[in-house]
Amino acid sequence: MNLLAFETATEACSVAVWLDGEVHERFELAPRRHAELSLPWAEELLAQAGIKRNQLDAIAISRGPGAFTGVRLAIAIAQGIALALDKPIVPVSTLAVLALRAQGLKPLGASAEPQRVFAAIDARMGEVYTAAYELRDGDAFALNEEVVIAPNAATVPGDYDGWLGVGTGFAAAEGALREGLGERFAAIDAQALPHAADLARLAALAYARGDAVAPERIEPAYLRNNVALTIAEQVALRARAK
């Protein structure tokens, strides 16, 4: 199967083409340049893979949680392409996509499979987006619900103490998440960002399960409604940080 994947939910921008298991990807840390880069990269990667748009089976998107503008952009681009081609969209959690980054973490003594991963993205405003996953057979299986939460209030499920941590949420709020839960983790990568190549891998599995949907049915996962703190909330947040 052939997939075109857009991952624009964080400060990183990436696009990937999945061609029967072969992946072509462009990735760049490019804040505020997602709209400029996404479509040209898509055309470049399709040409590199040797396929045309009408040979795609579906479009994959990272549906959030993440930056409001980035999540909306991916949905808008995917809907435009999918509607024009009469193709479905495969939405995948941004946190699940991020969780696959843990496959590069190999602490001594750790078994290859399954791995338990706690993915965390800096949500700004003194909060993080988090979710826990088990990586198995190349897929990411959710162990709890996605939440937006203060990092010092976050918890990991169960009594397992060999977690792998990935994502900018571990560096947010002066490392409060790492400080509070660090003893539960075998390794942490606080610089990890989601990649479209991982999105394509998860989307291919989801497509095979029948999880593709019509473009008009796509819903973003924002987890919260407000995008900025009020002045009173900013003052309260600074007071709690002292």
Side-chain angles (χ1 to χ4, degrees):
M1 71 163 304
N2 304 328
L3 279 169
L4 176 61
F6 293 94
E7 170 54 77
T8 61
T10 68
E11 56 267 44
C13 178
S14 60
V15 180
V17 170
W18 171 279
L19 181 61
D20 291 328
E22 179 185 350
V23 182
H24 302 262
E25 183 193 45
R26 286 290 304 270
F27 174 94
E28 185 177 320
L29 187 61
R32 296 177 295 280
R33 296 186 63 210
H34 301 68
E36 170 191 345
L37 299 174
S38 296
L39 284 174
W41 281 2
E43 295 299 333
E44 174 187 320
L45 290 168
L46 288 170
Q48 182 180 337
I51 63 171
K52 298 180 179 179
R53 285 192 181 193
N54 60 10
Q55 293 177 279
L56 293 169
D57 294 296
I59 313 299
I61 60 163
S62 177
R63 59 156 176 81
F68 281 55
T69 301
V71 171
R72 288 197 300 267
L73 174 67
I75 290 176
I77 290 175
Q79 285 178 324
I81 297 174
L83 287 168
L85 299 176
D86 192 24
K87 302 293 183 180
I89 293 178
V90 185
V92 180
S93 165
T94 305
L95 288 165
V97 175
L98 176 60
L100 284 201
R101 291 285 95 192
Q103 294 179 121
L105 294 176
K106 299 293 184 182
L108 291 176
S111 59
E113 292 285 353
Q115 294 174 316
R116 292 187 182 181
V117 181
F118 193 75
I121 296 173
D122 186 355
R124 314 302 180 188
M125 297 166 57
E127 294 179 316
V128 292
Y129 300 118
T130 72
Y133 296 89
E134 182 175 275
L135 303 188
R136 181 169 17 99
D137 300 325
D139 209 343
F141 298 89
L143 299 177
N144 62 4
E145 295 292 325
E146 300 171 335
V147 297
V148 57
I149 194 170
N152 57 8
T155 60
V156 292
D159 56 6
Y160 178 74
D161 287 336
W163 289 89
L164 302 178
V166 290
T168 56
F170 285 92
E174 300 182 345
L177 182 58
R178 182 196 294 264
E179 182 178 347
L181 298 173
E183 73 282 357
R184 304 289 304 275
F185 290 84
I188 294 173
D189 181 358
Q191 306 302 315
L193 291 164
H195 281 240
D198 294 327
L199 165 61
R201 292 183 179 95
L202 293 179
L205 293 170
Y207 182 88
R209 292 193 300 266
D211 291 342
V213 299
E216 62 273 15
R217 293 182 54 203
I218 293 298
E219 293 288 342
Y222 291 140
L223 299 190
R224 69 181 178 202
N225 295 322
N226 58 319
V227 298
L229 293 174
T230 65
I231 293 177
E233 288 170 335
Q234 294 177 40
V235 171
L237 180 61
R238 286 195 293 268
R240 289 197 300 270
K242 291 180 179 178

